[in-house]
């Protein structure tokens, strides 16, 4: 990790020595939860695998002269799974290194979802959040199982299974919408700025590909004739429970604006307190998360309402997801600040009211988030008297954008559209996901006393 982070600077030699020492300590101290990470692959091999990656996530086919030799060969074209991949999600929550992959609450691109689940399972994410649709859940499950089989075939340590989370909404919400327009109304000479602004290439001369669109809304303001609109949708509790019965769902996330508390209560408890809400089903899961934007001066009152309404049993984890700047993490580093600011306020309110549940960032998160969290001393490993910390962060647009080239290449090659069946693409995608996830988790745990 040290080499990856600073290997291109003047301190490269020092970083190599430091990383080697960490690898040796990792092997012999017995205090790190995955000290025997690669089933016989030595720490030197792990260091060598780090050295053969560039900071851009691409792979060098030549072994650097400074790389130590070892007897165990690294699988051709493969990237070794993150040393964090073997840690269960529950441990990540406790340690404060929780990281969630967001596929998109409205994203229905099944091949893409399956492949990003594959790559990020290898990288060591703790949870994969997706649309509340059985076919989407099945795609995530298939990607997870493919990653575990991929690891087993290469004698790697088996990655822990990430929790599968489904996202639902209690009312109109930007995460639960699709862009739409009538392409016949578009002028022939239109420069089509909507196509350029779409981060997932969901817009063409034929209109919007609903499977790919995840509702970011960037195209809405880009159309010079304002021809694009958004279609919102809300599913009833009965529809949700019926469709997901039997699916391998571990967690649920409720997206709420906070302005329509009756709709939140009805989603959870049913109309007028009658049966028909999701409370009974959700209370049998491992985790319930509530995602919300900034509530302004009503934040504390909102959190008290949510906590009282949910009244979760002790065996169900709870998360407060701070949706700072929704669906914007791939835009630039500045978007990470909004979620940090909201998380600080949520932490303060939670402490004042003595509410249960961890605080997790989302909305504008990207590769700058870990730096900002560490700078503001918001990681659990940095806790000091009188301070509060987050349990981790969720990453959506940025995490998906990292693998965009590989995913497009797989699609161009045609069926079966499985990332692991194209070794070079699988290697490139997994190394990018690995570098990102490992950086966040290593930063989160950097101050742990071992």
């Amino acid at each position: 990790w040290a080499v990856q982070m600073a290997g291109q600077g003047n301190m490269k030699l020092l970083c190599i020595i430091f990383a080697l020492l960490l690898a040796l300590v990792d092997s012999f101290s017995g205090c790190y939860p995955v000290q025997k990470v690669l089933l016989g692959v030595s720490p030197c091999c792990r260091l060598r695998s780090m050295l053969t990656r560039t900071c851009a996530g691409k792979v060098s086919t030549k072994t650097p002269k400074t790389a130590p030799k070892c007897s165990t060969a690294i699988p051709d074209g493969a990237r070794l799974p993150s040393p964090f991949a073997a840690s269960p999600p529950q441990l990540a929550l406790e340690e404060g290194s929780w990281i969630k992959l967001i596929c998109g609450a409205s994203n229905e691109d099944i091949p893409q979802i399956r492949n990003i689940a594959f790559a990020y399972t290898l990288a060591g994410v703790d949870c994969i959040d997706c649309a509340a649709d059985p076919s989407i859940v099945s795609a995530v499950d298939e990607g997870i199982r493919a990653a575990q089989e991929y690891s087993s075939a290469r004698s790697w340590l088996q990655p822990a299974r990430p929790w599968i989370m489904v996202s639902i909404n209690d009312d109109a919400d930007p995460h639960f919408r699709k862009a739409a327009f009538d392409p016949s109304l578009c002028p022939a000479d239109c420069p089509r700025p909507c196509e350029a602004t779409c981060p997932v290439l969901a817009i063409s001369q034929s209109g919007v590909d609903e499977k790919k669109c995840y509702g970011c809304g960037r195209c809405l303001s880009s159309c010079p004739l304002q021809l694009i609109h958004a279609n919102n949708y809300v599913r009833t509790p009965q529809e949700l429970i019926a469709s997901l019965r039997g699916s391998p769902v571990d967690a649920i996330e409720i997206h709420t604006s906070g302005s329509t508390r009756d709709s939140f209560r009805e989603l959870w408890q049913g109309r007028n307190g009658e049966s028909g809400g999701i409370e009974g089903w959700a209370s049998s899961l491992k985790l319930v998360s509530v995602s919300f934007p900034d509530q302004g001066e009503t934040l504390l009152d909102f959190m008290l309402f949510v906590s009282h309404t949910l009244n979760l049993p002790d065996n169900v984890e709870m998360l407060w997801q701070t949706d700072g700047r929704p669906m914007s993490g791939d835009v630039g580093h500045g978007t990470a600040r909004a979620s940090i600011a909201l998380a600080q306020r949520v932490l303060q309110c939670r402490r004042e009211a003595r509410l249960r549940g961890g605080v997790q960032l989302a909305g504008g998160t990207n590769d700058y988030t870990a730096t900002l969290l560490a700078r503001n001393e918001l990681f659990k490993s940095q806790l000091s008297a009188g301070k509060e910390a987050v349990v981790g962060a969720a990453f959506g647009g940025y995490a998906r954008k990292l693998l965009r080239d590989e995913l497009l290449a797989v699609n161009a090659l045609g069926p079966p559209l499985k990332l692991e069946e194209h070794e070079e693409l699988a290697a490139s995608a997994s190394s990018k996901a690995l570098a990102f996830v490992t950086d966040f988790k290593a930063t989160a745990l950097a101050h742990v006393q071992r």
Side-chain angles (χ1 to χ4, degrees), residues 147-328:
Q148 293 177 325
E149 292 169 5
Y150 190 84
S151 294
S152 296
R154 287 155 179 76
S155 298
W156 294 348
L157 184 68
Q158 187 82 337
R161 180 180 172 84
W163 288 348
I164 298 179
M165 172 184 284
V166 294
S167 279
I168 63 175
N169 54 319
D170 65 353
D171 204 346
D173 185 281
H175 299 86
F176 299 82
R177 64 181 180 180
K178 299 280 188 181
F181 67 93
D182 183 352
S184 67
L185 300 178
C186 298
D189 60 347
C190 181
R192 305 187 68 80
C194 56
E195 291 187 19
T197 59
C198 181
V200 291
L201 307 180
I203 300 178
S204 68
Q205 293 186 358
S206 300
V208 178
D209 185 339
E210 288 192 353
K211 297 290 185 184
K212 293 182 179 179
C213 177
Y214 65 90
C216 71
R218 297 174 203 176
C219 62
L220 299 178
S221 59
S222 71
C223 178
L225 299 180
Q226 298 296 295
L227 298 178
I228 306 176
H229 63 278
N231 293 325
N232 298 283
Y233 62 91
V234 181
R235 299 176 66 188
T236 67
Q238 293 82 2
E239 290 175 330
L240 286 167
I241 296 172
S243 66
L244 295 172
R245 186 173 288 114
S247 296
V249 175
D250 302 294
I252 191 169
E253 182 161 271
I254 303 173
H255 289 253
T256 181
S257 66
S259 61
T260 53
R261 298 187 182 182
D262 286 343
S263 60
F264 184 91
R265 186 184 294 107
E266 288 178 9
L267 173 65
W268 186 255
Q269 299 175 342
R271 189 176 296 273
N272 298 323
E274 301 172 0
S275 60
I278 64 170
E279 181 177 9
W281 172 68
S283 295
S284 66
L285 301 176
K286 297 174 182 176
L287 182 148
V288 173
S289 174
V290 178
S291 180
F292 54 95
D294 196 339
Q295 303 295 306
E297 296 180 358
T298 66
L299 178 59
L300 178 57
D301 183 58
F302 166 78
M303 293 179 65
L304 288 168
F305 161 76
V306 169
S307 182
H308 175 74
T309 301
L310 295 182
N311 192 28
L312 292 172
D314 292 339
N315 63 313
V316 179
E317 297 284 349
M318 181 185 173
L319 286 181
W320 303 93
Q321 177 169 288
T322 60
D323 198 6
R325 186 173 167 184
M327 296 178 286
S328 64

Side-chain angles (χ1 to χ4, degrees), residues 4-28:
Q4 284 179 307
M5 295 302 99
Q8 294 184 344
N10 295 329
M11 301 293 288
K12 184 171 183 178
L13 180 59
L14 178 60
C15 287
I16 292 172
I17 297 172
F18 177 62
L20 179 58
L21 288 173
L22 284 180
L24 293 174
V25 171
D26 184 16
S27 177
F28 296 112

Side-chain angles (χ1 to χ4, degrees), residues 101-183:
L101 168 67
I102 302 175
C103 296
S106 295
N107 185 3
E108 299 173 306
D109 188 342
I110 289 178
Q112 181 212 64
I113 290 168
R114 180 200 179 278
N115 287 331
I116 61 175
F118 165 82
Y120 278 99
T121 296
L122 287 178
V125 295
D126 304 295
C127 183
I128 301 178
D129 185 0
C130 66
D133 181 282
S135 62
I136 305 300
V137 173
S138 178
V140 173
D141 181 57
E142 184 179 333
I144 292 172
R145 288 187 285 106
Q148 293 177 325
E149 292 169 5
Y150 190 84
S151 294
S152 296
R154 287 155 179 76
S155 298
W156 294 348
L157 184 68
Q158 187 82 337
R161 180 180 172 84
W163 288 348
I164 298 179
M165 172 184 284
V166 294
S167 279
I168 63 175
N169 54 319
D170 65 353
D171 204 346
D173 185 281
H175 299 86
F176 299 82
R177 64 181 180 180
K178 299 280 188 181
F181 67 93
D182 183 352

Side-chain angles (χ1 to χ4, degrees), residues 37-113:
V37 170
L38 299 173
L39 298 178
V41 178
S42 70
C44 290
C45 272
R46 292 172 61 198
L47 178 59
R48 179 185 165 202
S49 72
M50 293 179 189
L51 289 169
T52 55
R53 298 188 204 106
T54 66
C55 290
K58 296 182 180 179
V59 179
S60 170
T61 56
K62 297 181 180 180
T63 302
K65 294 179 181 180
T66 54
K69 296 180 180 180
C70 57
S71 59
T72 307
I74 297 176
D76 292 337
R79 236 68 57 220
L80 303 177
S82 164
F84 300 102
S87 299
Q90 184 68 42
L91 179 61
L93 283 174
E94 295 171 1
E95 291 183 337
S97 61
W98 168 270
I99 184 168
K100 183 179 79 172
L101 168 67
I102 302 175
C103 296
S106 295
N107 185 3
E108 299 173 306
D109 188 342
I110 289 178
Q112 181 212 64
I113 290 168

Side-chain angles (χ1 to χ4, degrees), residues 362-402:
T365 50
N366 50 43
D367 59 336
Y368 193 47
T369 298
T371 299
L372 285 178
L373 284 170
R375 187 176 296 169
N376 288 276
E377 298 185 342
L378 289 174
F379 281 121
K380 279 192 174 183
S381 63
Q382 299 173 297
L383 272 184
S384 57
K387 289 205 170 187
E388 297 284 327
V390 301
V391 298
F395 300 90
Y398 179 82
R400 299 193 299 270
K401 184 179 180 180
L402 275 180

Side-chain angles (χ1 to χ4, degrees), residues 383-442:
L383 272 184
S384 57
K387 289 205 170 187
E388 297 284 327
V390 301
V391 298
F395 300 90
Y398 179 82
R400 299 193 299 270
K401 184 179 180 180
L402 275 180
L403 311 188
R404 177 173 168 172
D405 291 345
E406 290 78 9
L407 296 175
L408 289 175
V410 169
N411 287 342
L413 292 170
L417 304 180
K418 294 181 178 180
L419 185 59
E420 70 274 17
E421 295 193 8
H422 305 280
E423 191 65 31
E424 291 184 4
L425 294 175
S428 178
S430 62
S431 70
K432 290 178 180 179
L434 171 64
F436 175 58
V437 172
T438 301
D439 176 34
F440 181 86
K441 285 184 171 284

